[in-house]
């Protein structure tokens, strides 16, 4: 016995050398500003255990303790703002105690993954369809919210954008997200610098431009002495919606097929766009950098090291307004015909299936209050800094100090493109994408690299579908 | 007679009591160790034989281990990890020994100053250290590019962390700076504990400084060297935080390490079983390297 204990303790000491090695958990280089897209799923959906069919409960009929985890979508990362929202909810539902925990895009996914495996998921989570529908929902971790999507609600949301409803619904017809807000991702230029370089002439009044004019603008900037016009960042997945939109729009490529079952950036249009980016980089009109991600690129833009950012939206404009000594001028991504197809962002709530019907009722009451209440709903959307998914809310920024800024960004909604982020295999796609950029800027043949990228993504999609 | 027969009995009781006390003191640590290291390791081993994902848990035998050696990215990660170990361990050990030998007999204030300087990156934390290094490596306004272009060494600014030729070496440089603190402190302590009468006797007998070091001091600090070798090897094999913070394994997998790839597979793709299989493989590799170092160290001793 003594020998055994001594052996165990000796083993413990030896193993502690291994265990005590530096294993500090570190944040990944995710988006700092623009909310990031999510990992995808790899297993078929399972039936949630709790009662999905239960309708949203009546006012005051619910009670209990629920937990909300929020990603930092606008001020949903601000404890004071969310505290006020919860206080407003508690005026109507005094018997529901809401505990809020704040995630970030660096470590949030890891925290949720760990919680899922440990069985300690929150009741509510605020994020987008990439995570709620295509990842956690598809893996059977979420409650079907079909009962919240009644006919009036659906009509109200689809009147604004049919893409929102499609994005919140899984392939098996279950709704794993109840949406609150949406936006379109754009790019942005330094207006004063463009004016000095006489490059504003290449941008249309509606803030679109053609590939030809974009190239002329790059040349004008270079001729004006701008060392680095823009950077195609590819150091990680943070803000990859920007580089995707850039490459996709140039020659009007499609990222996936219409059914979101196959990846298609190795098409002639996709490869032509990628080749164009490489040509611009080789010619010195643009730069590529595998050492930075979007947050770094935005910072370079804000401190006027570069003349444009490929990762921008309404919230970024607000965030960086105080930091920039120039006018950030949002523009659409250039396309061959001048008609862009912009990537969108949709954020809303999902409910984890924790097997407690009372908590589900309380969580649904919270969602309905935050998203649909005639008074609170528009205020909740304002917290995000984006636009309501409900058409009945109208222009919520009318008469506010944000009206002018938000009117500009609202104008981009007409070019909102397909929400392909819900395609299965999304997580693998994200990594494969920035690796593809690294490969082509490193000198690999564009078509070959694009084919490899598509094969990797399609394999991931097939694996996730089985 | 009776008195004599009582002595061993009492000694046995005392000894047993002391042993029991010792084990009781160790018990709390043992409980934590079993709970947070042994049990997770066993679970890691078991689940490595399963297709364990967020939606599946089915037995697949050694399929994960077979897949590992057919996975090009894993093989790149293995190569990079071994390169980091092969470069970092000898350089860290040699540099630490050199610094330790240079400062151990200095005045206490000077010695403490140097110890603080070299230990600072260790206590600063990986995140803060990485942020500073990331700025220094920055292509557009980083220190290295500004200095090198200013001196005319390079014409074009280099994306140090974004260029396959340099990225892994940049990681090794950072790892080096964060790894030398503890070995230096240990060497200073070990060299200070070498019996001065032995070195003095050797010098009186006509030994050169090198002979004194090699024949007297080196054997005396061998246990410390062994510990440093093993702990540096383990830390180098487990290089993860720097990769996560600075390169995400890029560009083009040139900084991919096994630890980062385990994280990627487990947390980004939810392939827990596959990640665990790689973890077991890494543990075996570390154990083999450590055993070799122990054996070589003992035979040298």
């Amino acid at each position: 016995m003594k020998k055994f204990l001594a052996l165990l303790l000796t083993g413990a000491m030896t193993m502690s050398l291994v265990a005590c090695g530096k294993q500090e958990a570190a944040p990944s280089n995710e988006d700092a500003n623009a909310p990031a897209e999510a990992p995808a799923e790899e297993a078929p959906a399972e039936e949630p255990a709790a009662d999905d069919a239960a309708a949203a409960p009546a006012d005051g009929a619910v009670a209990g303790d629920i937990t909300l985890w929020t990603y930092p979508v606008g001020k949903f990362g601000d404890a004071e703002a969310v505290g006020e929202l919860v206080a407003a909810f508690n005026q109507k539902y005094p018997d529901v105690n809401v505990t809020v925990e704040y995630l970030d895009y660096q470590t949030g996914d890891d925290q949720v993954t760990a919680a899922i495996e440990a069985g300690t998921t929150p009741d509510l989570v605020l994020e987008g369809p990439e995570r709620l529908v295509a990842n956690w929902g598809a893996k059977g971790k979420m409650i079907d919210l079909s009962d919240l999507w009644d006919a009036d609600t659906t009509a109200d949301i689809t009147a604004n954008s049919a893409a929102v409803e499609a994005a919140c619904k899984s392939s098996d017809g279950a709704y794993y997200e109840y949406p609150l807000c949406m936006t379109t991702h754009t790019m942005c230029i330094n207006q004063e610098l463009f004016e000095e370089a006489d490059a504003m002439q290449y941008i249309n009044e509606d803030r679109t431009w053609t590939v030809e004019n974009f190239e002329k603008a790059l040349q004008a900037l270079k001729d004006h002495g701008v060392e680095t016009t823009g950077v195609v960042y590819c150091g990680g997945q943070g803000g990859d919606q920007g580089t995707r939109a850039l490459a996709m729009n140039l020659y009007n490529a499609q990222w996936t097929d219409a059914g979101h079952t196959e990846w298609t950036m190795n098409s002639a249009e996709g490869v032509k766009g990628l080749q164009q980016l490489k040509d611009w980089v080789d010619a010195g009109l643009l730069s590529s950098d595998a050492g930075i991600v979007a947050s770094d690129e935005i910072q370079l833009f804000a401190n006027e090291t570069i003349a444009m950012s490929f990762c921008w939206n309404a919230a970024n404009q607000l965030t960086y307004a105080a930091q920039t000594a120039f006018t950030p001028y949002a523009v659409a991504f250039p396309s061959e015909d001048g008609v862009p197809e912009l990537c969108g962002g949709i954020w809303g709530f999902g409910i984890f299936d924790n097997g407690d019907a009372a908590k589900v009722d309380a969580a649904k009451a919270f969602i309905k209050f935050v998203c649909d209440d005639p008074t609170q709903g528009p205020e909740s959307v304002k917290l995000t800094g984006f636009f309501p998914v409900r058409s009945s809310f109208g222009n919520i920024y009318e008469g506010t100090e944000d009206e002018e800024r938000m009117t500009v960004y609202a104008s981009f909604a007409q070019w909102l493109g397909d929400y392909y982020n819900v395609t299965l295999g999304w997580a693998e796609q994200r990594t494969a994408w920035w690796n593809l950029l690294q490969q082509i800027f490193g000198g690999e043949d564009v078509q070959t690299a694009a084919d490899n990228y598509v094969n990797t993504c399609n394999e991931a999609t097939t694996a996730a579908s089985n | 007679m009776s008195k004599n027969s009582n002595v061993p009995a009492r000694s046995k009781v005392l000894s047993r009591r002391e042993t029991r006390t010792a084990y009781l003191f160790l018990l709390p640590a043992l409980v934590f160790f079993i709970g947070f290291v042994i049990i997770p390791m066993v679970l890691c081993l078991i689940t490595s034989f399963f297709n364990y994902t967020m939606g599946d848990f089915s037995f697949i035998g050694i399929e994960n281990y077979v897949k590992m050696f057919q996975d090009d990215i894993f093989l790149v990660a293995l190569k990079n990890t071994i390169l980091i170990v092969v470069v970092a361990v000898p350089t860290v050990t040699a540099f630490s020994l050199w610094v330790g030998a240079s400062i151990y007999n200095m005045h206490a204030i000077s010695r403490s100053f140097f110890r603080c300087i070299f230990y600072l990156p260790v206590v600063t934390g990986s995140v803060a250290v990485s942020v500073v290094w990331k700025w220094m490596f920055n292509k557009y306004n980083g220190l290295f590019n500004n200095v090198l272009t200013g001196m005319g060494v390079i014409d074009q600014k280099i994306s140090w962390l974004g260029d396959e030729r340099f990225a892994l070496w940049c990681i090794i440089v950072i790892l080096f700076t964060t790894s030398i603190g503890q070995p230096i402190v240990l060497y200073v302590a070990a060299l200070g504990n070498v019996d001065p009468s032995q070195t003095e006797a050797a010098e009186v007998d006509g030994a050169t400084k090198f002979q004194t070091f090699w024949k007297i001091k080196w054997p005396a600090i061998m246990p410390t060297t062994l510990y440093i070798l093993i702990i540096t090897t383990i830390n180098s094999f487990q290089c993860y935080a720097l990769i996560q913070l600075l390169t995400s394994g890029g560009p083009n997998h040139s900084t991919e390490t096994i630890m980062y790839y385990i994280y990627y597979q487990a947390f980004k793709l939810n392939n827990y079983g596959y990640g665990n299989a790689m973890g077991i493989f890494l543990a075996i590799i570390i154990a083999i390297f450590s055993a070799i170092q122990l054996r070589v160290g003992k035979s040298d001793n």
Side-chain angles (χ1 to χ4, degrees):
Chain A
M1 182 62 190
K2 201 165 146 187
K3 266 190 173 178
F4 170 74
L5 271 174
L7 195 67
L8 193 60
L9 287 169
T10 309
M13 286 168 66
T14 311
M15 295 305 292
S16 66
L17 291 179
V18 177
C20 294
K22 285 181 190 170
Q23 299 180 70
E24 295 149 74
S28 67
N29 36 7
E30 267 276 355
D31 298 14
N33 301 285
E37 281 82 351
E41 59 115 11
E42 35 239 323
E46 293 167 9
E47 287 298 318
D51 181 12
D52 302 338
D59 295 5
V62 291
D65 298 333
I66 57 171
T67 307
L68 163 67
W69 285 8
T70 74
Y71 281 79
V73 181
K75 287 191 175 176
F76 271 88
D78 177 354
E80 191 180 342
V82 178
E84 286 174 13
L85 185 149
V86 171
F89 171 72
N90 281 142
Q91 282 188 343
K92 197 169 184 181
Y93 294 94
D95 297 328
V96 179
N97 179 36
V98 184
T99 305
V100 187
E101 290 184 29
Y102 301 90
L103 306 178
D104 59 51
Y105 280 104
Q106 279 75 36
T107 60
D109 290 349
D110 297 350
Q111 284 176 258
V112 175
T113 299
I116 287 171
E117 292 310 315
T120 57
T121 45
D123 302 295
L124 277 160
V125 61
L126 171 70
E127 228 296 303
E130 308 83 54
R131 291 173 172 84
L132 303 185
V133 181
N135 192 7
W136 306 322
K139 289 167 183 165
K141 308 299 177 189
M142 310 296 288
I143 294 284
D144 182 3
L145 302 175
S146 295
D147 54 314
L148 300 185
W149 283 80
D150 56 38
D152 290 344
T153 302
T154 307
D156 196 12
I157 292 172
T158 51
N160 206 359
S161 168
V164 173
E165 191 216 352
C168 294
K169 190 163 63 172
S170 71
S171 55
D172 60 1
Y175 290 88
Y176 293 124
E177 177 175 337
Y178 194 77
L180 170 67
C181 64
M182 60 188 288
T183 193
T184 45
H185 296 299
T186 67
M187 55 180 286
C188 192
I189 61 164
N190 178 330
Q191 185 177 348
E192 285 78 10
L193 190 57
F194 265 63
E195 284 169 352
E196 286 168 22
D198 198 22
M200 284 301 284
Q201 60 174 312
Y202 301 118
I203 301 173
N204 300 324
E205 271 192 22
D206 62 0
R207 300 188 181 227
T208 60
W209 44 359
T210 62
V211 174
E212 186 184 354
N213 280 340
F214 179 69
E215 185 173 287
K216 286 178 182 171
L218 293 176
Q219 190 61 58
L221 289 167
K222 291 302 281 188
D223 294 344
H224 182 63
V226 176
E227 189 180 352
T228 311
T229 55
V231 181
V232 184
Y233 50 88
C234 48
Q237 65 184 32
D240 54 0
Q241 70 269 23
T243 50
R244 287 200 313 272
L246 177 65
M248 190 182 92
N249 270 282
L250 290 174
Y251 292 97
N252 304 98
Q254 291 299 310
W255 211 267
T256 66
D257 63 352
H260 300 150
T261 56
E262 286 187 353
W263 305 84
T264 54
M265 264 307 275
N266 62 341
S267 63
E269 296 83 7
V271 170
K272 194 175 175 187
L274 290 166
Q275 184 65 54
Q276 179 68 78
L277 284 178
K278 181 169 164 45
D279 292 345
W280 282 333
V281 168
D282 290 345
L285 292 175
L286 272 180
S287 288
S288 68
D289 194 345
I292 64 170
V293 291
S295 55
D296 306 310
E297 186 245 20
I298 294 170
Q299 199 58 57
L300 290 171
F301 176 61
N303 64 25
E304 301 186 56
T305 305
I306 57 177
M308 63 185 73
S309 168
F310 298 122
C311 185
W312 202 256
N313 60 35
N316 284 356
Q317 179 103 25
L318 183 63
T319 305
Y320 286 90
Q323 289 186 38
T324 52
F326 59 90
T327 308
Y329 187 88
V331 289
F333 287 92
S335 58
E336 189 174 28
D337 56 6
V339 182
E341 187 177 334
L342 302 179
C343 288
I346 302 166
W347 294 274
F349 293 94
I351 301 178
F352 277 104
D353 181 7
N354 289 329
D356 186 331
K359 283 177 182 269
V360 170
D361 284 347
K364 284 180 179 174
F366 183 85
I367 291 176
K368 292 295 281 183
F369 176 77
V370 172
C371 298
D372 293 351
D373 184 89
T375 308
Q376 182 58 48
E379 294 304 315
S380 304
V381 176
K382 283 180 190 170
L383 278 184
T384 66
F386 296 126
F387 300 97
V389 291
R390 278 181 169 271
S391 58
S392 60
F393 284 0
N395 181 3
I396 63 169
Y397 296 103
E398 191 175 6
T400 69
E401 59 180 356
D402 296 322
E403 184 177 5
E404 190 182 342
R405 175 175 59 89
M406 296 308 283
T407 301
V408 169
Y409 286 94
S411 71
F412 291 109
Q414 61 184 304
W415 296 301
L416 180 63
D418 178 36
Y419 202 82
Y420 56 83
N421 311 27
V422 291
T423 309
L424 300 183
W426 183 249
E428 287 90 336
Q429 183 282 141
R430 291 194 79 183
T431 303
W433 168 241
W434 53 265
N435 274 292
L436 164 66
L437 289 178
Q438 290 180 350
Q439 286 159 13
I440 63 171
F441 293 129
E444 284 193 31
D445 175 64
V446 174
Q447 182 70 60
T448 308
D451 286 342
N452 289 339
Y453 158 79
V454 164
N455 287 340
T456 302
C457 297
N458 282 338
E459 281 173 17
T461 302
T462 304
S465 307
N466 294 329
Chain B
M1 186 69 194
S2 63
K3 194 178 175 185
N4 283 345
S5 64
N6 279 343
V7 172
R10 202 162 53 223
S11 164
K12 214 171 180 182
V13 170
L14 264 174
S15 168
R16 198 176 299 143
R17 193 179 295 163
E18 280 176 3
T19 306
R20 195 168 56 232
T21 309
Y23 282 126
L24 281 172
F25 271 111
L26 287 169
L27 192 62
L30 188 65
V31 168
F32 273 91
F33 185 76
I34 290 172
F36 291 102
V37 178
I38 299 296
I39 291 174
M41 280 184 73
V42 171
L43 289 175
C44 183
L45 178 65
I46 293 168
T47 53
S48 71
F49 297 107
F50 285 78
N51 180 35
Y52 178 21
T53 66
M54 200 177 273
D56 189 20
F57 189 78
S58 51
F59 184 75
I60 54 169
I62 59 166
E63 209 172 286
N64 281 327
Y65 292 90
V66 174
K67 178 182 167 187
M68 196 191 305
F69 292 100
Q70 294 168 343
D71 183 341
D72 291 339
I73 300 174
F74 172 78
L75 295 176
V76 169
L78 178 62
K79 189 194 82 181
N80 290 338
T81 306
I82 289 174
L83 179 65
I84 288 172
V85 172
V86 167
V87 174
V89 174
T91 50
V92 165
T93 309
F95 183 79
S96 305
L97 179 59
W98 176 64
V99 173
S102 303
I103 67 173
Y104 87 98
N105 53 3
M106 281 183 176
H107 185 271
I109 294 174
S110 308
R111 194 169 61 230
S112 296
F113 170 76
F114 282 111
R115 275 196 301 211
C116 283
I117 292 290
F118 286 111
Y119 209 72
L120 209 55
V122 182
V123 293
T124 306
S126 297
V127 176
V129 167
S130 299
V131 168
V132 174
W133 278 101
K134 190 172 185 180
W135 169 73
M136 291 198 289
F137 284 131
N138 188 287
K139 178 181 177 182
Y140 309 93
N141 41 32
L143 182 71
F144 291 122
N145 276 337
N146 283 340
V147 169
L148 293 173
T149 49
M151 291 168 65
V153 177
I154 55 173
D155 298 327
Q156 296 286 323
K157 288 182 174 175
I158 295 170
S159 176
W160 297 97
L161 294 169
D163 191 316
E164 285 182 50
R165 294 169 297 169
F166 307 116
L168 189 61
W169 296 102
C170 293
I171 295 292
I172 290 173
V173 167
I174 305 171
L175 186 67
F176 176 83
T177 62
T178 56
S179 299
I180 55 175
Q182 193 183 17
I184 287 173
V185 169
L186 290 171
Y187 270 134
V188 168
L191 287 163
N193 286 334
V194 176
D195 188 353
S197 64
Q198 289 184 13
T199 53
E200 283 162 13
E203 282 165 6
V204 168
D205 289 345
T208 62
K209 280 198 170 179
F210 177 76
Q211 284 172 326
T212 308
F213 176 81
W214 191 244
K215 299 289 184 186
I216 308 293
K217 291 179 185 172
W218 179 247
I221 61 170
M222 182 53 83
T224 305
T225 303
L226 265 182
Y227 174 76
I228 288 168
L229 280 172
I230 290 171
I231 203 77
T232 311
T233 303
I234 291 168
N235 285 343
S236 302
F237 266 117
Q238 294 185 341
C239 182
Y240 159 75
L242 296 177
I243 308 295
Q244 167 74 313
L245 289 162
L246 294 171
T247 64
S248 299
N252 205 12
H253 303 293
S254 63
T255 60
E256 199 90 49
T257 62
I258 296 179
M259 275 299 285
Y260 182 77
Y261 197 50
I262 289 171
Y263 162 80
Y264 174 71
Q265 284 290 339
F267 280 90
K268 294 295 179 192
L269 304 185
N270 305 135
N271 292 328
Y272 311 123
Y274 186 43
N276 287 345
M278 289 189 280
I280 293 294
F281 175 77
L282 181 63
I284 291 169
I285 293 283
I286 291 174
I288 291 170
F289 267 71
S290 301
I292 292 169
Q293 286 169 340
L294 274 172
R295 175 63 64 88
V296 171
K298 274 182 182 171
S299 61
D300 279 359
N301 212 13

